[in-house]
Each structure stands twice: as structure tokens, then as C-alpha cells.
Amino acid sequence: MSEPVDETAAPEPAVAETAAPDTEAQESAAPESAAPSRRTVIGWGGAGLALGAAAAGGAALLARDGDTPVPAGDSGAAVPFHGPHQAGIATPVQDRLHFAAFDVRTKDRAELVRLLKDWTRAAERMTAGAEVGEGAYGGLPEAPPDDTGEALGLKPSRLTLTIGFGPTLFDGRFGLKDRRPGALVELPRFPGDNLDPARSGGDLCVQACADDPQVAVHAIRNLARIGFGTVAVRWSQLGFGKTSSTTPDAQTPRNLFGFKDGTRNIAGTETERLARHVWVSGKDAEGGAAWMDGGSYLVARRIRMNIETWDRTPLAEQEDIFGRDKREGAPVGKAGEHDEPFLKAMKPDSHVRLAHPDTNGGATLLRRGYSFTDGTDGLGRLEAGLFFLAYQRDVRTGFIPVQTSLGRADALNEYIQHVGSALFAIPPGVRDKDDWWGRALFS
């Protein structure tokens, strides 16, 4: 977690843009006519994904047509797909994640555009709880079904699908060089990085979040299948146990080190801070990057935690490293978790002090990270950590200064290592059934 943790004031999801629909809205969210036909998918093959799922659980919150959070853990509700911003950014964080980065294999611009349109129609249906295309059964016996079927009978579970475009998509293959945003920079190498190229980068990404892990896995599996031959999965990550609080008054979750995480995340109702720190505005998206108006930028980092070493560290030292009390999450010298921290009372190398906006020129991120465990590493050590996801208006004034500060001096660096990294431009939302992911970029 050499990521900006508690103190990056990571903005919380804006519920107003991702409100849970009423029954009528759910029924109309993904019209049958928008689905890819069976003829389109004949020949789509498996994508070679290594899929898995953990047990689902945990109540969550979402918002209806206003800004009032309502319980949704047992409802299996749908989150609207259409809107000015993509769902899955300012949406209250779901319990499970399946994230996938893709390499584009075709050099045909029209083929890529056709894929993005097909993906959009499939995403509309899956987020509404419907099957892809003509469904998982009942079609031509000589052809593979349009839907893989493992989510049959399951509710939407607040599934959101969020797409992003990596720097390599603008390398000239598709005539997009002059449309690359200035903020879509190559991230510098930070102190302590030990990045695996096989777990980094990507032309495209899709973030699937849901309260049911099978629903999230089903979504990525079907998009990868639709894209077979046009794109290939470069790497993917399953996540559980959200590590950021994104709903007002919700209990702050804990990371795998046992500390509360995301205390200072901006609430989803704080639209002013979201506009200031997360959403790209027209003045940011000038010239060839005008297509990013209403979008954001995502940094994804796979952070390995040295669990066994941490578990042998004295409690007092753990609390000094974070700058917070382990029981309540209160900052040093304070009684409550949400008390304003007094940074000078903390050790100079404490995580909270170094990640705080006051230490980094006001840099503020919206974090949606998840814990992960991927078995053991062959030496009996748990392959576990934090899959860090942070959205911001500009990485040059967001993630880069914060991670530079953390990478140089954070006491937590003894217990973590960044092993994967990627940056993506997140386009604005799909406005209606005639719109599609990336339309403004490719228009």
C-alpha cells in the first residue's frame, strides 16, 4: 500500500451519477434490439482467462434518484449504465472486483470500433441483469450460445463496467496520435518499484465491480469472448474486501494489515470535490483531447504485501508506521477516526503524514482499491496485497506527486512492493442507447 491510503482524501463516488434505478428503469436499461446477434458471435472462442471467484457477501449502499444512500446488499439492484460519467467511478464501492487489461490484436480501426459498440451493447444488458445477445440456451445447436450462462438466475448485484484506454492505444495504429490527452503520460519509475511487465500496461481495460463475484467474473468473461481475435487479455486481477469507504456514514473497511483504510475518501454526495479532483472538465480537455470532457484518469497498481513480516511487527510500531490507532483508526493524539490529523504529531515517515494532501500540494484521489490473495508464492508465503485503483482529474497533479512522496520515505515500504502498474484514460459515460464506449474519441 505505498499508494495514497487514508489521507489522499480520495474522493468518494458521486451517487447522483450512478443512482440505483427503479423497476421501470431496470427493465428498460438494456433493450433487446441493442444486443449483438447470434450470427455476430458465431466463431467467438474462449479467451483463456484464468477465472476464479470468492464467496459473495457484505451489505452495500447505493443511491436512488437523489443523493440518499439506501441499503442494497440484499436487493441485487441494478446501477444505471447510461449517464454523463461512467458508472464504477463515483458509484458506492461494491464488494467484489474483476479487472482485466487487454491488448488490441487488430490494426483495423473499423474492427476496433465495431468491438467497442458490441461491448457497449453487452455491457448495457449485463448491468441490467440480462443475458448477452440471445442468451445462454435455446438457440442454434450448431453455434455457441451468445451468453456463457454462469450468471443465469443471479441478480444484477450492482454490476458496473468501466472502460479505459491505455497510452499504447495512441501509438499510431488507429490514427489517434493527435488525440492522446496530455495527462495520459507514462508513469515514472518510483523508488522501490519492482514491476512485472506481464502484469502492467494494456491498450484497454475493463473494471467489473459487483456484490456477487460470479456476476463480475461473468461480465469480464463475456466481454473477452466477444473480443476474441480482436483483443486478448493481457492480465487480470480478482479482488475482494473493498479497501476504501465511499459512502457517507458507512463503516470504514480494513486492509490486509488490519488498519482502517479510506477514512478521508470523499463521499459520493460531495459533487463539488468530485468536480475539482476527479472529473475532467472542458478546459482540461482542449484540442484533440476534447473527447475526455466528463471522463477521468485511472491508475491501477498491484501492491504485494509482506504479510508474514508484518504479522511479526509489534503493535506500537505498526501504529507508528500508519500514524493511526489500530482499534479506532484515530490519528496520532486524537480520539476518533474522523478527527482531523495533526501531522506534526506523527513520525516524519508515517504513511498518513506522507500521503496527506497537505504534504502533497493538495493532491487528492478517489480510491476504489480491493484486497487480493492469489495463493502462495512457492516459498510458503501468502501472495496477497492491495489492488490499488485511483481516479483523478490529472495524474500529474494527483497520483504522481503522492506516490513520489511515499516512495521516497514511507516507513510502510519495508512491508510492501509495487509489482504491477497501468494508467488509463477513462472516457465519459454512454449517454443513451445510441451512444457507445469511446464514440467521442473515434468520431
Side-chain angles (χ1 to χ4, degrees):
M1 316 178 17
S2 170
E3 47 136 313
V5 180
D6 289 306
E7 303 307 316
T8 50
E12 289 221 357
V15 285
E17 300 300 344
T18 54
D22 56 24
T23 303
E24 181 180 354
Q26 292 182 40
E27 291 174 350
S28 62
E32 292 289 334
S33 60
S37 70
R38 179 170 303 281
R39 295 182 183 87
T40 302
V41 299
I42 291 178
W44 291 346
L49 288 174
L51 303 177
L61 294 174
L62 71 159
R64 275 194 291 253
D65 294 332
D67 290 334
T68 305
V70 296
D74 298 324
S75 70
V79 175
F81 180 75
H82 300 122
H85 310 298
Q86 288 195 67
I89 302 173
T91 309
V93 179
Q94 301 93 320
D95 292 333
R96 306 289 170 158
L97 166 80
H98 192 185
F99 188 97
F102 296 83
D103 288 330
V104 178
R105 293 296 178 85
T106 184
K107 294 183 180 179
D108 186 334
R109 178 181 171 123
E111 185 177 357
L112 176 57
V113 167
R114 186 162 55 250
L115 170 69
L116 294 173
K117 291 179 178 180
D118 287 347
W119 269 8
T120 304
R121 303 287 83 86
E124 285 173 335
R125 294 186 58 76
M126 290 189 289
T127 55
E131 299 169 57
V132 174
E134 297 175 18
Y137 58 87
L140 297 173
E142 298 82 11
D146 288 358
D147 189 282
T148 51
E150 74 273 22
L152 286 173
L154 299 179
K155 296 179 180 180
S157 299
R158 297 196 302 132
L159 172 67
T160 56
L161 292 167
T162 312
I163 196 170
F165 304 134
T168 50
L169 192 69
F170 300 83
D171 60 7
R173 287 173 291 171
F174 307 108
L176 301 175
K177 273 190 173 182
D178 61 347
R179 311 209 76 183
R180 176 172 174 171
L184 193 62
V185 298
E186 296 293 339
L187 293 177
R189 183 177 182 85
F190 298 102
D193 277 2
N194 185 22
L195 304 181
D196 179 359
R199 287 187 176 272
S200 301
D203 294 326
L204 304 171
C205 77
V206 178
Q207 171 195 281
C209 297
D211 290 325
D212 186 328
Q214 187 141 320
V215 170
V217 167
H218 168 264
I220 294 294
R221 177 181 176 185
N222 276 272
L223 294 180
R225 184 171 182 263
I226 291 170
F228 182 73
T230 302
V231 296
V233 175
R234 179 179 177 87
W235 55 271
S236 66
Q237 182 67 59
L238 291 169
F240 68 92
K242 57 191 177 188
T243 63
S244 299
S245 172
T246 57
T247 306
D249 303 322
Q251 180 177 352
T252 304
R254 295 180 184 269
N255 56 41
L256 290 183
F257 283 160
F259 278 78
K260 290 187 176 182
D261 216 345
T263 296
R264 295 180 62 86
N265 260 8
I266 295 178
T269 53
E270 295 183 282
T271 55
E272 182 180 342
R273 296 187 72 191
L274 287 165
R276 186 162 72 248
H277 298 296
V278 179
W279 305 128
V280 176
S281 71
K283 66 180 181 180
D284 301 319
E286 297 175 349
W291 60 273
M292 275 294 292
D293 187 16
S296 190
Y297 293 92
L298 169 64
V299 172
R301 304 276 284 187
R302 189 175 191 272
I303 303 172
R304 171 81 182 272
M305 291 178 167
N306 300 322
I307 299 293
E308 292 77 14
T309 304
W310 179 261
D311 290 346
R312 290 168 174 79
T313 301
L315 175 61
E317 185 177 346
Q318 291 183 0
E319 293 181 332
D320 283 342
I321 289 171
F322 270 98
R324 284 189 178 272
D325 159 74
K326 195 168 190 177
R327 178 182 178 180
E328 298 293 336
V332 171
K334 303 290 183 175
E337 175 192 348
H338 296 282
D339 292 346
E340 187 66 26
F342 180 53
L343 299 184
K344 291 184 178 179
M346 303 175 185
K347 291 193 172 183
D349 60 354
S350 70
H351 185 77
V352 164
R353 180 170 179 172
L354 290 172
H356 196 280
D358 289 353
T359 306
N360 300 287
T364 302
L365 311 174
L366 186 162
R367 295 185 301 108
R368 290 181 62 93
Y370 288 82
S371 296
F372 70 85
T373 56
D374 292 337
T376 57
D377 63 0
L379 298 175
R381 298 173 302 192
L382 193 62
E383 177 75 35
L386 171 68
F387 190 65
F388 170 70
L389 296 168
Y391 290 89
Q392 62 238 272
R393 185 168 173 171
D394 192 324
V395 296
R396 296 168 295 186
T397 55
F399 177 78
I400 290 177
V402 175
Q403 185 55 34
T404 298
S405 175
L406 291 169
R408 288 173 178 167
D410 191 1
L412 193 59
N413 291 337
E414 180 180 349
Y415 303 92
I416 63 172
Q417 188 168 62
H418 289 233
V419 296
S421 179
L423 171 64
F424 299 95
I426 307 298
V430 176
R431 298 281 181 160
D432 52 45
K433 63 182 180 61
D434 297 319
D435 199 4
W436 45 278
W437 274 335
R439 179 191 56 81
L441 170 60
F442 286 90
S443 294

